[in-house]
Amino acid sequence: MHPEDVEHFAQHEVIEREEVEREAKYQGVTVEEALHAHDEPPADSAPKPKITRGVPPEKQDPVIKYKDIGKESDSQSEWGTGEQGYKQPSTPVEKTRLVSRLNSMHTS
C-alpha cells in the first residue's frame, strides 16, 4: 500500500466514527452500543434467499440452447406459407423451418 492509501482509508475511518457518534447521540445510546448495533444484523431480518443464476444463452452449449427448437419449428406453418410467407428468416426457429423445407425439396 502507498502512504496516500493509508491516509485515505484512515480518513474514511474517522468519518465513519463521527457518523456513529452522531447516531449514538441522536438515539440516546453510547457510542459502543451504536458500534455494536452496526456489527450485528437486525434481529427481525430474515436471511436473504440465495439467488441461483443459470448459464446465459450466449454461453450455453448449443445442444442445450436449441434442444426444443424442433418442437417450436414443427408448431409453425411451413416456410413460404402462412403470415410470414417468404420473408427472410431471423430467428433460429424460422431458420430451422427454412432448412427443413429445403431438405424436403432436395429429397423429393
Side-chain angles (χ1 to χ4, degrees):
M1 278 189 146
H2 298 291
E4 297 86 14
D5 293 335
V6 173
E7 182 180 333
H8 174 83
F9 289 113
Q11 184 62 31
H12 277 279
E13 291 175 8
V14 169
I15 292 169
E16 290 172 9
R17 177 70 181 198
E18 289 172 354
E19 288 176 356
V20 170
E21 289 172 356
R22 274 189 240 119
E23 183 180 326
K25 182 178 178 183
Y26 178 77
Q27 293 181 355
V29 297
T30 66
V31 175
E32 289 73 25
E33 289 173 326
L35 285 171
H36 185 67
H38 282 275
D39 292 340
E40 294 180 4
D44 62 337
S45 69
K48 294 181 181 178
K50 184 176 179 181
I51 298 173
T52 305
R53 291 188 169 86
V55 178
E58 62 273 6
K59 293 185 178 181
Q60 279 184 343
D61 181 1
V63 172
I64 295 171
K65 184 176 179 179
Y66 298 113
K67 69 180 168 92
D68 295 327
I69 200 164
K71 294 175 193 170
E72 292 177 46
S73 178
D74 292 342
S75 69
Q76 296 186 2
S77 59
E78 189 174 296
W79 186 76
T81 62
E83 291 180 17
Q84 296 179 338
Y86 288 102
K87 287 186 348 187
Q88 181 72 24
S90 59
T91 66
V93 173
E94 292 172 355
K95 291 175 184 175
T96 302
R97 289 174 46 221
L98 173 59
V99 170
S100 63
R101 171 72 172 150
L102 293 174
N103 285 340
S104 68
M105 290 171 60
H106 288 295
T107 58
S108 302

